[in-house]
Structure formats: C-alpha cells, structure tokens
Amino acid sequence: AAAAGPRIAGACKVSAESDIQKVSGYIAACVRSGQPAMVLAISDLAVNKAIKALALARNFLTTDNLDLVAQPRFPEYDVNTMTANMQLDLEVKQTRISLEDKVTATMCVSQHSTPSAVAGAIASTAREGKHVTKVSCMGPQAVLRTVKSIFLARRFLVDDNLDLSFVPEFSDSDNGLTVMNFYVLAHAPKAKGEAEEEAAEPEPAQS
C-alpha cells in the first residue's frame, strides 16, 4: 500500500484497496524522519483514501508536535481535465497547526461542483488577503474535485505571486457522516533555490 515504485522512487502509492491505517503510519514515519514521501493516487477512490491517510497521519503526529501541509499536482491535466492522477508534495512543519480560529472564508464542494469555478473562488479569497479558506466536502468525487480545485487555484495565482498549500482534517456532520475539511493556506511561493537552501539548514523544509 505504501512502497517505493519504479515511477517515482520512495513515493507512497495509494490505491483504492490500500489500508488507510498502514498508509497513514508510513506517511507519519516519513514526516518524523524529516523526509516526507510524495503521495501518488490514480483514481477518485485512491485520492479519497490518500487524503484520509494524510488527515490520520496528522493525528498520529500530535504527540511529536509535528505537522504537515500538502500541495497537489495533476501532471496529466493539460491533456485530460478528467484525470485523477494526483501527486501530493508534503512539507514538514516543526509545530502543530491550529487553523479553525483563523478561517476567513468557507465553501463547500459537492460531487457536481466544477473544479475551475471552485478554483476561481479560492483564488479570489487569496487575492483578497484571506489567508485561510476552509473547503468542506464528502465522498470520493467531491474530494477529488476539491483537490483539483486547489491545484487549479495555484495556477490562477501564479501572476499574483501567491501559492497555496492545504491541511486536511476530519469532522462529523450533523447527520453523523464524516466530512473532510481542507484548510487552504495562501502564502508566498517558495522558489526552487530557496527550497534548496532551506533544505541544507537545520530546520527541515521541502517544496
């Protein structure tokens, strides 16, 4: 469920059949080592499990006072907008992130939402200086569309010199169903050279 593959060495590959507990344990172990693995998924069910595994890994890291943020990519998007081939780049944070009281905008995504439209809304909140947007959704298709929306919003913000990361977290709805919350963080983009310099310093950083 979480092993190095021939395509990207050291990557954590998540499938529809993956054990979320094992995947999240692997991700948490990588974060503790300061070398978080890239997370790969290629279907809506796999993407849903990957995001759940990230949220669970964050729970595992509570006692270590560590946390993680993620940035999504869809390498095949330009040739197939319906692609579910997702890559997540993870970054280690040396302290826990508490975001609920910092939320400045909220929105919900359904299985019928259009990612480009949601992306436009996310990008607009970032341009307005709202640094934490909470996006809530339920179900594999809604989760996939949310992740794709964040990916597209990152593209929309390139000329604004802004970038986005997200932190996933579970919550329960009024009817007892599990909701996935994406706390979308707006920040300055990290240049490749800057990322390499930080990686060489004591405080771990990965872009």
Side-chain angles (χ1 to χ4, degrees), residues 1-194:
R7 196 152 60 94
I8 300 178
C12 174
K13 297 193 295 184
V14 182
S15 74
E17 292 76 36
S18 293
D19 184 317
I20 292 177
Q21 290 278 343
K22 290 181 179 179
V23 175
S24 56
Y26 178 81
I27 292 171
C30 291
V31 169
R32 291 187 187 103
S33 75
Q35 299 293 327
M38 178 185 290
V39 178
L40 309 177
I42 58 172
S43 72
D44 60 341
L45 294 176
V47 168
N48 187 45
K49 284 204 169 185
I51 299 301
K52 286 183 176 180
L54 285 188
L56 187 55
R58 293 188 64 233
N59 292 345
F60 291 166
L61 293 166
T62 301
T63 55
D64 301 280
N65 198 34
L66 293 173
D67 214 332
L68 58 84
V69 297
Q71 290 188 309
R73 289 183 287 146
F74 287 83
E76 298 173 356
Y77 183 84
D78 290 330
V79 295
N80 176 18
T81 59
M82 301 301 291
T83 181
N85 182 358
M86 177 198 72
Q87 298 179 2
L88 288 178
D89 297 312
L90 306 184
E91 181 181 352
V92 180
K93 294 297 182 182
Q94 299 298 313
T95 186
R96 295 294 296 177
I97 303 170
S98 178
L99 295 168
E100 184 60 40
D101 60 345
K102 298 180 176 66
V103 172
T104 48
T106 60
M107 56 188 74
C108 295
V109 173
S110 77
Q111 61 180 339
H112 304 297
S113 296
T114 303
S116 59
V118 177
I122 293 172
S124 292
T125 62
R127 293 188 188 102
E128 292 168 4
K130 298 175 180 178
H131 298 299
V132 183
T133 299
K134 181 180 178 180
V135 185
S136 302
C137 60
M138 288 190 292
Q141 263 299 318
V143 167
L144 173 60
R145 288 166 188 259
T146 300
V147 180
K148 196 172 289 186
S149 298
I150 298 169
F151 158 74
L152 289 173
R154 294 182 67 201
R155 285 188 164 189
F156 294 168
L157 291 167
V158 169
D159 291 340
D160 299 278
N161 199 36
L162 288 169
D163 202 355
L164 302 171
S165 304
F166 73 83
V167 177
E169 194 169 284
F170 296 113
S171 67
D172 293 323
S173 66
D174 293 337
N175 57 8
L177 298 176
T178 300
V179 177
M180 181 56 68
N181 299 308
F182 291 76
Y183 291 91
V184 184
L185 317 178
H187 51 80
K190 184 177 293 185
K192 288 185 178 179
E194 177 188 349

